Amino acid sequence: MKKSVFTLIIKFVAVIILIQTLYFKFSGADESIYIFTKLGIEPFGRIGSGIVELIASILILIPKTTLIGAILGFGTMLGAIFSHIFVLGIEVKNDGGTLFLLAVVTLVCCFILIYQEKNKIINLLKLKFNL
């Protein structure tokens, strides 16, 4: 029982963080436009990453697709973290590093979900490659 409550909390933390950023990406908020312009992928990167994060959020909440959603979320957050480290800086537009911290928290949550679902990875590979 404790593991399932923990898993639910981890899922909701990841999903809440992923979904709360969608408003800024899809509405064209100044900070989002600044970030993706600096990365050289505005507007397609902003909208595309928003779509991927929305799909990841939905998949994380569905028990049979949690692993796929967590992998998508992990990859997206890894990209966000690398963008902060190598291009944007930890602090973006005087946010005190909040966006970076949210990306790290989401990455950790997705990693935990992937680890918990690790026994399903081989089935995912079998489906993909017919092993």
Side-chain angles (χ1 to χ4, degrees):
M1 182 67 176
K2 287 182 182 179
K3 183 180 176 184
S4 63
V5 171
F6 175 74
T7 301
L8 276 176
I9 292 169
I10 294 298
K11 282 183 177 187
F12 283 123
V13 168
V15 167
I16 288 169
I17 293 171
L18 287 168
I19 287 181
Q20 67 94 17
T21 63
L22 295 181
Y23 170 77
F24 300 101
K25 288 181 179 166
F26 291 148
S27 70
D30 289 339
E31 191 171 71
S32 285
I33 290 174
Y34 169 81
I35 289 168
F36 287 94
T37 298
K38 193 160 183 185
L39 294 173
I41 53 174
E42 169 64 28
F44 301 108
R46 174 175 51 86
I47 294 167
S49 68
I51 291 169
V52 170
E53 290 174 14
L54 177 60
I55 292 168
S57 299
I58 293 167
L59 293 175
I60 286 171
L61 292 175
I62 301 169
K64 287 187 176 190
T65 60
T66 296
L67 175 61
I68 296 168
I71 291 170
L72 274 176
F74 185 87
T76 304
M77 291 304 105
L78 201 58
I81 290 167
F82 284 158
S83 294
H84 277 277
I85 292 171
F86 295 113
V87 180
L88 301 169
I90 302 300
E91 187 173 328
V92 176
K93 295 191 84 164
N94 300 318
D95 75 342
T98 301
L99 289 175
F100 179 78
L101 180 61
L102 290 173
V104 170
V105 168
T106 306
L107 180 88
V108 170
C109 289
C110 288
F111 177 79
I112 292 168
L113 293 172
I114 292 167
Y115 183 78
Q116 288 180 340
E117 301 273 326
K118 67 184 179 293
N119 60 334
K120 294 181 182 177
I121 293 174
I122 194 71
N123 293 333
L124 187 63
L125 291 173
K126 283 181 184 178
L127 179 67
K128 176 74 176 170
F129 298 111
N130 291 326
L131 295 176

